[in-house]
């Protein structure tokens, strides 16, 4: 898999567009670079670039991200993630240009080879985050192309960030800080190719918090091939 294209409409009918590209060296199966571009309210820009480094076992140990405002403004932040592994527990540090945050992440378990839950605690910002996941029984192209190694932990709330064996049909997320809890639910319905792999996905995002509940809708398209 080399490209994912997403487009969708929110409650306010704003049309958005997103594209993620993966780059490989020669015959290697693990990408050294990931680039995401988007169109928001008619403005096209580069959202981020990620660069990856692996250990001898193929596990991700270093992830460097550059984040701009858009394609015409210089990079505003560089984020570096470093990973250490101890069974199902994964420890990592996240450093920014001006700040350093340390996280301790423990994966609670796997079901049929898929991540079923994750607990994450931020010891600097005193955040507690919980995730639970359910899946279909179809192969996930982001796993079978070795892209699952790019996400040893879940650091965002995005269906496409999951690189498990099957495709996620529901993601439940909660964040608690200072006694206030926010929740988010993703519901995904897939259209499959004749070989069982997804060709499209329709996503409903439901956000709930003290200020109320909102819904967003998006559509993703999988593009297969080699660059």
């Amino acid at each position: 898999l080399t490209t994912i294209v997403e487009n969708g409409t929110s409650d306010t009918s704003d049309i958005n567009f997103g594209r993620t590209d993966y780059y490989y060296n020669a015959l290697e199966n693990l990408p050294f670079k990931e680039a995401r571009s988007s169109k928001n309210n008619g403005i096209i820009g580069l959202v981020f670039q990620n660069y990856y480094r692996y250990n001898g076992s193929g596990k991700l140990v270093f992830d460097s991200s550059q984040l701009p405002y858009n394609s015409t403004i210089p990079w505003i932040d560089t984020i570096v993630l470093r990973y250490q592994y101890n069974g199902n527990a994964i420890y990592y540090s996240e450093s920014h240009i001006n700040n350093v945050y340390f996280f301790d992440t423990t994966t609670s378990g796997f079901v049929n080879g898929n991540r079923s839950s994750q607990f994450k605690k931020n010891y600097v910002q005193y955040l507690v985050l919980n995730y639970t996941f359910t899946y279909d029984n179809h192969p996930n192209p982001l796993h079978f192309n070795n892209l699952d190694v790019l996400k040893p932990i879940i650091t965002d709330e995005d269906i496409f960030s999951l690189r498990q064996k099957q495709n996620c049909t529901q993601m439940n997320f909660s964040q608690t800080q200072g006694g206030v809890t926010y929740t988010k639910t993703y519901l995904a319905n897939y259209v499959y190719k004749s070989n069982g792999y997804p060709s499209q996905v329709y996503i409903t995002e439901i956000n709930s918090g003290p200020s109320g509940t909102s819904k967003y809708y998006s559509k993703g398209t999988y593009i297969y091939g080699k660059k």
Side-chain angles (χ1 to χ4, degrees):
L1 184 73
T2 58
T3 303
I4 298 175
V5 177
E6 307 162 54
N7 51 49
T9 304
S10 70
D11 292 275
T12 57
S13 297
D14 292 330
I15 302 243
N16 301 309
F17 173 89
R19 177 187 176 107
T20 304
D21 292 282
Y22 300 94
Y23 298 84
Y24 302 80
N25 283 321
L27 300 178
E28 293 182 357
N29 291 321
L30 298 174
F32 71 90
K33 177 182 175 181
E34 175 182 3
R36 180 174 175 80
S37 56
S38 70
K39 179 179 181 181
N40 293 308
N41 297 321
I43 300 175
I44 299 176
L46 185 64
V47 180
F48 67 70
Q49 290 186 143
N50 282 355
Y51 293 88
Y52 302 108
R53 186 182 302 164
Y54 312 91
N55 63 17
S57 301
K59 289 186 176 181
L60 185 68
V61 295
F62 180 89
D63 174 354
S64 175
S65 303
Q66 292 179 308
L67 307 176
Y69 280 115
N70 58 51
S71 59
T72 62
I73 297 179
W75 302 107
I76 61 168
D77 197 4
T78 298
I79 303 173
V80 176
L81 299 177
R82 292 180 172 86
Y83 302 88
Q84 292 181 324
Y85 302 86
N86 182 16
N88 282 341
I90 302 173
Y91 306 92
Y92 76 104
S93 66
E94 176 179 338
S95 61
H96 296 248
I97 291 177
N98 297 317
N99 299 286
V100 177
Y101 303 98
F102 291 95
F103 297 81
D104 178 354
T105 296
T106 301
T107 299
S108 298
F110 289 82
V111 175
N112 297 325
N114 293 311
R115 187 193 309 270
S116 59
S117 61
Q118 177 182 279
F119 171 83
K120 181 169 75 171
K121 187 173 184 179
N122 181 324
Y123 290 102
V124 175
Q125 297 175 320
Y126 302 104
L127 287 172
V128 175
L129 302 99
N130 283 285
Y131 301 78
T132 60
F133 314 97
T134 56
Y135 301 87
D136 61 13
N137 58 0
H138 289 263
N140 181 355
L142 295 177
H143 176 84
F144 286 92
N145 285 270
N146 296 310
L147 297 185
D148 58 307
V149 302
L150 302 186
K151 291 289 183 178
I153 57 176
I154 305 303
T155 57
D156 49 19
E157 298 76 58
D158 180 3
I159 288 289
F160 291 114
S161 70
L162 285 170
R163 313 289 168 81
Q164 305 303 296
K165 291 176 62 178
Q166 273 76 47
N167 305 284
C168 184
T169 56
Q170 182 169 339
M171 175 195 293
N172 298 311
F173 163 77
S174 67
Q175 171 184 306
T176 301
Q177 183 178 29
V180 179
T181 298
Y182 297 86
T183 64
K184 181 179 292 186
T185 298
Y186 283 91
L187 302 173
N189 292 306
Y190 295 87
V191 177
Y192 302 99
K193 296 158 58 73
S194 59
N195 62 2
Y197 284 86
S199 60
Q200 292 181 324
V201 59
Y202 296 85
I203 299 172
T204 301
E205 175 187 337
I206 306 170
N207 300 297
S208 298
S211 59
T213 300
S214 60
K215 288 185 179 182
Y216 297 88
Y217 306 91
S218 62
K219 172 185 174 182
T221 301
Y222 294 80
I223 300 175
Y224 298 85
K226 271 218 159 187
K227 289 185 177 180

